[in-house]
Amino acid sequence: MRISTRRSAGRRLMAIASISLLGVALQPATVLADTASEVRDEILSSSAYARENLKDRDSGVSSEGALQFWSSGGLIQEVPGDPSVATYESFTLTPKHVEVITLEEGKSAVAMYYSEGSYQITDSEPVAHYMTRVTEVYVKEGDQWKIRAAHYSPIAGGSGTNQNAVD
C-alpha cells in the first residue's frame, strides 16, 4: 500500500507541476524595450530623413531643452525645448559606427558615433568637410527618443559647424 501511495503522490505532484508550467507558458509575454536598437534606429532614420527631405523630421531636442557643446567650439549652449526645425540647401551627413549604452531600459541612453559629410543650413554658410565625434544623451518622451545633452567635437582633418550660438 505504501508504494501505491507514493506513486499517487508522485502523479499528483507531476500533474500540479505540469499545470503550473502550462499556466506560466500561457501568460501574456511581456515585451521589453530594446533601448539600444531604438536609439540607434532614431539616429539613422533622422539622418536619412534629412538627406532625403532637406529638412529635419523634428527638432530632436527634449521638451526640457538640452545642454550642448558644439563642434564649432565655445561655451556650452542651452538649446530650448522647442527649437525650430532646420531646413537645408544640401545635406549628406551620415552617422557611422553608432554605439549605444542603455542607462535605464526604455527611459535613457547614451549614443556615441561619428558624423561625416557636408551640409548647408538654409541662409547659412556651407560646411564642406564635416567630420565630428558625437556623444548624445537620449531620453524617452512618450514614444519618441529626444536629445537631452550632447557633445560634438571635430575629428582632426575635419571641420565642425560654423554656428556658435542659439539663434
Side-chain angles (χ1 to χ4, degrees):
M1 195 103 145
R2 226 173 187 192
I3 294 174
S4 73
T5 304
R6 285 185 188 165
R7 283 186 192 156
S8 274
R11 286 185 187 143
R12 277 188 292 232
L13 186 57
M14 287 295 287
I16 291 169
S18 296
I19 291 168
S20 296
L21 287 174
L22 183 60
V24 169
L26 295 176
Q27 290 294 317
T30 301
V31 177
L32 295 176
D34 183 2
T35 296
S37 292
E38 288 179 12
V39 171
R40 185 177 300 103
D41 289 348
E42 173 61 26
I43 292 164
L44 297 173
S45 67
S46 290
S47 184
Y49 183 92
R51 281 193 307 275
E52 185 175 318
N53 297 285
L54 295 178
K55 66 179 181 176
D56 290 336
R57 188 172 45 209
D58 58 39
S59 72
V61 174
S62 166
S63 61
E64 301 287 321
L67 295 177
Q68 300 183 353
F69 281 111
W70 294 342
S71 57
S72 56
L75 303 175
I76 196 165
Q77 300 293 316
E78 293 184 37
V79 179
D82 60 352
S84 60
V85 173
T87 60
Y88 303 96
E89 297 293 325
S90 64
F91 188 98
T92 67
L93 294 182
T94 302
K96 296 181 177 182
H97 309 290
V98 179
E99 296 290 334
V100 179
I101 298 170
T102 300
L103 299 176
E104 187 172 355
E105 191 66 51
K107 293 185 178 182
S108 60
V110 175
M112 294 161 285
Y113 59 97
Y114 300 100
S115 184
E116 296 181 49
S118 62
Y119 71 97
Q120 182 178 1
I121 294 175
T122 303
D123 298 326
S124 296
E125 293 296 315
V127 177
H129 190 58
Y130 186 80
M131 289 178 40
T132 298
R133 291 176 294 245
V134 177
T135 302
E136 296 170 324
V137 176
Y138 281 85
V139 294
K140 188 98 179 226
E141 294 182 357
D143 63 348
Q144 296 183 321
W145 287 100
K146 299 292 185 172
I147 298 168
R148 187 70 172 99
H151 187 175
Y152 308 94
S153 59
I155 298 170
S159 63
T161 65
N162 50 21
Q163 184 175 8
N164 57 23
V166 175
D167 293 331

